[in-house]
Amino acid sequence: MAATACTGLVHAQEPATGNKSGGIVPRASPEQFELAFWNSIKDSTHAGDYEAYLKAYPKGRFAALAQARIARLRAPAQPPAAAQAPAATPAPRPQTAQSPPATKPKPPPAKPTSPAIAAARARASGEIRDCQSCPVLVSLPAGTFTMGSNASDPSERPAHQVVIDAPFAIGKYEVTVQEWNACVTANGCARVAQAPDAGPTSPMRDVSWEDAQQYVKWIGLVSGKPYRLPTEAEWEFAARGGAATPYWWGDKMATGKANCKDCGQPWHADRPLNVGSFPANGFGLHDTSGSVWEWVADCWHNNFKGAPNDGASWEEPGCRVRVIRGGSWREGAAYMVASTRFKYDAGVRQSQNGFRVARSF
């Protein structure tokens, strides 16, 4: 598949140092990240959000307030005056030699499963949102799949088995303009100009691999969770949605499944559609084919000879060229296969390039 990558570097603009709290906090400082964290949860009605803050900042400036919020949220509701007293709870039965243990033993670690079983488990596992400004994640189980294709571009060969040996979470959607701007407002990311018609749920684009790294670092600090870019193997495992076919939806191209110029309506030549405009794959993920190219963690290699088979990122010392996956709205049907991959310099911003996040458990 023919494509041309830019080689020049575009330097990020310096973000502003002001914030809406009335003071000036040093850019990318611990104080600034703590303030951003607190602002993202301060109106929450979930005790777990305040516990996450205390875990990240046990002696933080809002620690006392966070503890008070937790106590208030977890205070038992007062029963009505006329309510009857609850029935007495029987005392626990003494444990005997024949009694089951007081606590269940931990089950053994889950073994990797087939793509079909992994897809079923992912659909049942629900969604995750670690903070108010965090992207929605989908939890994926461990699994085994065939990565790459022997029938497509030479860079996708050889097809090889990969074992994803631990569950991980990945963005349900590509990172949006609104989510990126939250990072900009907190001085965690560079301000990147977007098209006038780019709405809050448009996929964020024209960002470099280095920009994406800024974002995952910031969202990790805000959430207290280990956010990162997905590895290339994790990305393809997720993009396939449990299927072993060329496209996540089957063996043949079909309209109405992705945002590309050969994918049918709706489609606009000048911009991608809002995230989630097309059906989700078997794992519940949207826009893994088309929309915008997505940065992953790995260094670029011309093919999969010698690639790791454990789902890890494939790195090289001093690597400057990184992998992008999935095609964009400007590409045709040939780019919509789940194995599609290409490359860009880590510092280059290009209008078709975006990303989605991942995190470990």
Side-chain angles (χ1 to χ4, degrees), residues 1-3 174 203-206 235 253 258-263 267-273 278 287-294 324-337 340-342 344 350-355:
M1 56 187 70
E174 295 153 334
M204 184 62 192
R205 55 194 178 99
D206 206 18
W235 188 95
M253 182 60 192
N259 187 195
C260 83
K261 68 179 181 181
D262 296 335
C263 293
W267 181 74
H268 297 287
D270 56 343
R271 60 179 171 84
L273 298 177
F278 292 85
D287 308 312
T288 56
S289 295
S291 188
V292 293
W293 288 96
E294 298 179 20
I324 52 176
R325 296 294 307 246
S328 82
W329 85 99
R330 289 181 178 171
E331 270 73 58
Y335 286 77
M336 298 301 104
V337 296
T340 291
R341 62 195 297 263
F342 198 59
Y344 257 87
Q350 207 274 346
S351 63
Q352 293 166 252
N353 296 349
F355 67 104

Side-chain angles (χ1 to χ4, degrees), residues 77-150:
Q78 295 297 321
Q84 296 182 356
T89 303
R93 185 174 59 186
Q95 187 170 317
T96 68
Q98 289 76 34
S99 300
T103 58
K104 284 186 177 181
K106 290 184 178 180
K111 294 181 179 180
T113 59
S114 70
I117 295 174
R121 288 181 179 174
R123 286 193 295 270
S125 65
E127 298 175 359
I128 301 168
R129 194 166 191 181
D130 291 319
C131 67
Q132 187 174 353
S133 56
C134 292
V136 176
L137 305 178
V138 174
S139 175
L140 301 190
T144 301
F145 77 110
T146 299
M147 182 176 181
S149 171
N150 292 328

